[in-house]
Amino acid sequence: MQVLDKKIIFVGGKGGVGKSTSAAAIAWKAAGDGNRTLLISTDPAHNLGDIFDESIGGKITDISDNLAALEIDPAAETEKYIKGVKENITNVVQSSRMEEVNRQLDTAKASPGAEEAALFDKLISIILEESDRYDKIIFDTAPTGHTIRLLSLPELMGVWIEGMLKKRQKTNENYTQLLNDGDPVDDPIYEVLKVRKDRFSKAREILLDGSITGFVFVINPERLPIVETEKAIKLLDQYHLHVKTLIINKLLPDEAEGEFLLKRKEHEQHYLDMIEETFVKQEKIYVPLFPHDITEKRHLEAFSKYYLEG
Ligand SMILES: Nc1ncnc2c1ncn2[C@@H]1O[C@H](COP(=O)(O)OP(=O)(O)OP(=O)(O)O)[C@@H](O)[C@H]1O
Ligand SMILES: [Mg+2]
């Protein structure tokens, strides 16, 4: 699987297709190959802990040789994020206005997009600050829509912060002229925004660099995952994020017998043809349906064997 060369790998796809399992198997394989690997779940409904039979939670936890995992809780991250903003602002806002500002921030916390923003902030921290410690960082993402919004954020936030910075600069220039004959004024808000903008651009560069970051989508040979994934891939293309690998998971095994299963296999073949036609550019990895759920390390071992092919 070519994507195993990348340092940062995002695993996406529709609900229930096998994202967490695939991400865990990729991480398992990477760690087995001797890479220091960090596996991260950004899905509020985590199940990495179940697969590794270990409680993981919000701290990076060692779960096996070369392998550590982290489950990010979007609600807790939002809480932390808003708290951070409040602290930042305390120094720059008049104390008489602080109550009002806090109230507005609490409203912001509950607004749509707040969790994504906080999650994205955390993601950036990991990409920028853990990259030296790990050879591979694998992200198990939440179902499709969520991931796309998350990954399109650097673009949107970049534009937004750019606008804020310009406005701020203009204000400062006016202020400067007014106050002290052209000596620039120190503006802590400008500084905070500038630091954030620089972090966004750095993260964006890494996400857009196809030699560092790879995107994998998991699908099943069924109509809806195919249709939805086709849309998602097109949308991500618009953000210059190119999905180059597909894992087609839960194929009926070759040894399936009996009239019922043979009929199912015919249907499946139809969808496999559709996959070949729809996803011409992507590398495709085929993984069979196992007779059991993937809940143990030895299952992951068997699952990840399929990554050697293709
Ligand atoms: N190839 C397979 N054979 C048998 N069971 C599988 C296979 N792949 C995944 N599973 C099982 O299917 C279920 C769903 O897989 P998983 O949790 O990885 O999906 P997901 O895409 O992460 O779901 P969600 O969208 O809820 O996060 C799990 O019980 C898992 O053990
Ligand atoms: Mg999952």
Side-chain angles (χ1 to χ4, degrees):
M1 180 154 75
Q2 289 151 22
V3 79
L4 281 169
D5 297 349
K6 311 298 177 218
K7 180 174 178 102
I8 297 171
I9 301 171
F10 284 88
V11 181
K14 203 174 141 58
V17 291
K19 293 178 298 297
S20 299
T21 308
S22 301
I26 290 175
W28 182 258
K29 169 109 185 66
D33 290 345
N35 299 289
R36 289 166 302 165
T37 304
L38 178 61
L39 171 62
I40 296 160
S41 166
T42 60
D43 187 343
H46 302 289
N47 56 2
L48 292 185
D50 299 339
I51 297 175
F52 290 100
D53 198 18
E54 195 118 17
S55 95
I56 295 171
K59 276 220 169 73
I60 295 182
T61 307
D62 285 325
I63 49 178
S64 177
D65 287 347
N66 281 333
L67 182 58
L70 169 69
E71 289 177 337
I72 302 175
D73 174 356
E77 283 312 316
T78 312
E79 195 73 43
K80 253 194 264 173
Y81 178 73
I82 297 286
K83 200 163 158 251
V85 175
K86 280 182 182 167
E87 276 164 16
N88 258 332
I89 278 182
T90 313
N91 306 321
V92 292
V93 172
Q94 281 172 3
S95 49
S96 59
R97 295 200 50 207
M98 213 41 222
E99 201 179 320
E100 172 61 21
V101 170
N102 277 341
R103 203 169 28 235
Q104 288 200 11
L105 282 170
D106 287 332
T107 313
K109 187 162 70 181
S111 69
E115 287 199 353
E116 272 118 335
L119 202 57
F120 189 69
D121 226 52
K122 179 73 182 173
L123 215 114
I124 291 183
S125 308
I126 291 167
I127 290 175
L128 297 182
E129 275 113 47
E130 301 294 339
S131 274
D132 291 343
R133 248 179 299 239
Y134 296 96
D135 304 314
K136 304 274 176 200
I137 302 180
I138 322 284
F139 288 99
D140 167 22
T141 67
T144 323
H146 223 78
T147 312
I148 291 173
R149 281 210 300 278
L150 191 70
L151 292 174
S152 59
L153 272 177
E155 186 121 347
L156 301 178
M157 298 283 256
V159 171
W160 181 78
I161 288 194
E162 192 78 51
M164 294 283 281
L165 275 170
K166 285 220 176 88
K167 238 194 220 160
R168 204 68 211 167
Q169 199 164 16
K170 189 101 201 109
T171 316
N172 287 348
E173 277 165 13
N174 293 342
Y175 205 56
T176 300
Q177 277 167 7
L178 200 75
L179 274 186
N180 42 8
D181 310 327
D183 272 350
V185 283
D186 285 338
D187 177 5
I189 294 188
Y190 185 86
E191 292 308 319
V192 169
L193 285 172
K194 185 82 177 52
V195 168
R196 284 180 68 73
K197 182 177 174 310
D198 290 346
R199 283 169 68 83
F200 275 138
S201 341
K202 263 195 223 143
R204 217 173 105 73
E205 241 170 63
I206 293 174
L207 288 180
L208 289 178
D209 186 337
S211 68
I212 302 178
T213 306
F215 298 89
V216 179
F217 263 68
V218 184
I219 54 174
N220 300 141
E222 290 164 15
R223 208 181 76 81
L224 275 180
I226 297 174
V227 173
E228 190 169 312
T229 300
E230 184 187 13
K231 270 196 220 148
I233 289 180
K234 280 198 179 134
L235 207 61
L236 283 172
D237 271 335
Q238 288 175 11
Y239 290 104
H240 311 289
L241 303 168
H242 307 299
V243 178
K244 297 216 171 112
T245 304
L246 277 185
I247 294 176
I248 299 108
N249 186 28
K250 301 192 186 177
L251 294 183
L252 288 172
D254 289 336
E255 64 267 27
E257 278 179 358
E259 202 180 333
F260 175 81
L261 281 174
L262 288 178
K263 227 161 180 94
R264 287 294 329 164
K265 259 188 121 71
E266 270 174 38
H267 277 287
E268 184 181 271
Q269 191 52 50
H270 165 72
Y271 290 123
L272 288 175
D273 293 343
M274 191 168 157
I275 288 170
E276 291 288 338
E277 280 162 29
T278 311
F279 306 106
V280 179
K281 288 197 208 142
Q282 282 75 19
E283 163 193 28
K284 297 172 203 68
I285 310 289
Y286 295 90
V287 180
L289 177 68
F290 287 81
H292 46 72
D293 276 2
I294 313 297
T295 49
E296 295 173 22
K297 289 176 185 174
R298 66 190 169 93
H299 295 156
L300 282 183
E301 182 72 36
F303 195 101
S304 67
K305 286 268 187 304
Y306 291 88
Y307 296 166
L308 297 171
E309 299 166 9

